[in-house]
Amino acid sequence: MPHDTFTPLVSPLNTAADPGDAASRDPLQAKVDALNARYRHHSATAVIEAALRDPQAGKIALVSSFGAESVALLHLASMVDRNIPVLFVDTEMLFTETLVYQAELAERLHLSNVQIIRASDMTLQAEDPDGTLHQRDTDACCALRKTRPLQKALRGFDGWITGRKRFQSGTRAAMEFFEVEEFTGRIKVNPLAHWAPDDVRAYMEENRLPRHPMVANGYPSIGCAPCTSPVKDGEDPRSGRWRGQDKEECGIHFVNGKMVRVGEMT
């Protein structure tokens, strides 16, 4: 995890574009390509600073689940700007421990702009009046309580910061710090893209950051209470999510035109 200083992007973003390439036809892609070229070898902190302070990046929010690994990215962001908009989706089916951890962590890191996102009461009453949709259709429940409220909240931003990392799946192997999100026209920022599995653990230990209380109880990946179970030694960390179902994602990120979620959001 290299440490370096922030260098503002002051050069034109599309000065060297070939008229025939994709970047020259797509100003947003040209912007992202220029940001990646400038910050390719920079630290996660520098990437967050670029996202928040460089006017070319636009208005950026950080999306956090306040899950098992979230504290690392939240701590990095808090050192750059404690007023960063942090979007936290409360599905109203989260573990009590997650809600307590969210409040305590926001206070400890002095995050002053945490925005709690929920589906409206009217929508929940219309689509899941008895709170049992997750028993019949987990995909529909995730869309109702998580994906749609988040996408609505993100309409006020030009991009968002995620905690995705290259090692999480083959589709992330070439992931850059800055990406164009398919279909939405937003910039997606991945400051931890190059971090290895042990980097998050080491960062948390070095900075004495509090872990989610349920990690010690066998929950290395933490979602909604009805759909998350403990994980045994040797099992995949996400095997406790939607156990027994052919489902691994809740629908936060776009990959190849489909909405998916890989690993912890942040």
Side-chain angles (χ1 to χ4, degrees):
M1 294 177 286
H3 299 279
D4 43 43
T5 58
F6 171 64
T7 304
L9 180 60
V10 295
S11 59
L13 283 174
N14 201 22
T15 55
D18 184 317
D21 66 20
S24 66
R25 298 193 300 270
D26 184 346
L28 182 59
Q29 184 64 55
K31 181 186 298 186
V32 164
D33 290 344
L35 287 165
N36 280 322
R38 180 166 295 274
Y39 298 103
R40 189 175 306 280
H41 302 295
H42 284 57
S43 68
T45 301
V47 172
I48 294 172
E49 288 178 327
L52 296 181
R53 298 179 180 174
D54 197 309
Q56 299 288 0
K59 186 179 180 182
I60 302 292
L62 187 154
V63 176
S64 179
S65 65
F66 284 81
E69 296 182 345
S70 300
V71 66
L73 183 59
L74 288 166
H75 182 258
L76 285 166
S78 72
M79 292 190 297
V80 176
D81 183 358
R82 290 175 176 174
N83 194 45
I84 178 176
V86 177
L87 307 185
F88 169 62
V89 182
D90 178 7
T91 65
E92 301 188 70
M93 288 191 169
L94 298 175
F95 290 96
T96 300
E97 291 86 344
T98 296
L99 299 176
V100 173
Y101 183 62
Q102 180 272 313
E104 292 179 346
L105 198 56
E107 181 177 0
R108 174 166 177 162
L109 298 179
H110 304 287
L111 294 167
S112 59
N113 193 8
V114 177
Q115 301 175 25
I116 299 177
I117 310 303
R118 299 185 180 96
S120 70
D121 291 341
M122 183 180 298
T123 301
L124 290 175
Q125 184 61 34
E127 300 185 38
D128 190 15
D130 57 359
T132 61
L133 180 60
H134 66 278
Q135 298 175 7
R136 306 186 302 275
D137 190 336
T138 52
D139 287 336
C141 186
C142 288
L144 169 65
R145 295 179 176 271
K146 185 175 295 184
T147 307
R148 284 159 46 192
L150 176 59
Q151 291 301 319
K152 182 179 179 180
L154 283 171
R155 290 174 188 168
F157 297 92
D158 301 303
W160 55 302
I161 298 172
T162 86
R164 297 182 310 153
K165 307 164 192 70
R166 286 187 171 189
F167 73 81
Q168 288 174 328
S169 75
T171 61
R172 301 292 183 237
M175 183 171 59
E176 300 284 1
F177 284 137
F178 298 88
E179 300 177 303
V180 175
E181 186 174 47
E182 296 181 67
F183 304 116
T184 68
R186 284 188 291 262
I187 291 177
K188 190 181 294 183
V189 187
N190 311 299
L192 307 185
H194 301 285
W195 283 31
D198 290 339
D199 290 335
V200 176
R201 188 178 307 110
Y203 184 87
M204 292 172 64
E205 292 174 354
E206 290 170 5
N207 291 280
R208 299 181 180 180
L209 299 175
R211 293 181 177 274
H212 192 297
M214 294 187 66
V215 172
N217 296 326
Y219 291 82
S221 181
I222 305 158
C224 293
C227 300
T228 308
S229 60
V231 173
K232 298 178 181 178
D233 290 341
E235 286 188 308
D236 182 275
R238 284 184 62 81
S239 62
R241 305 289 292 275
W242 306 285
R243 188 180 291 278
Q245 300 183 47
D246 184 20
K247 177 179 172 65
E248 298 179 357
E249 321 296 349
C250 66
I252 297 297
H253 300 287
F254 283 106
V255 176
N256 296 327
K258 298 180 179 179
M259 296 190 72
V260 301
R261 184 177 191 266
V262 180
E264 287 297 328
M265 189 162 38
T266 58

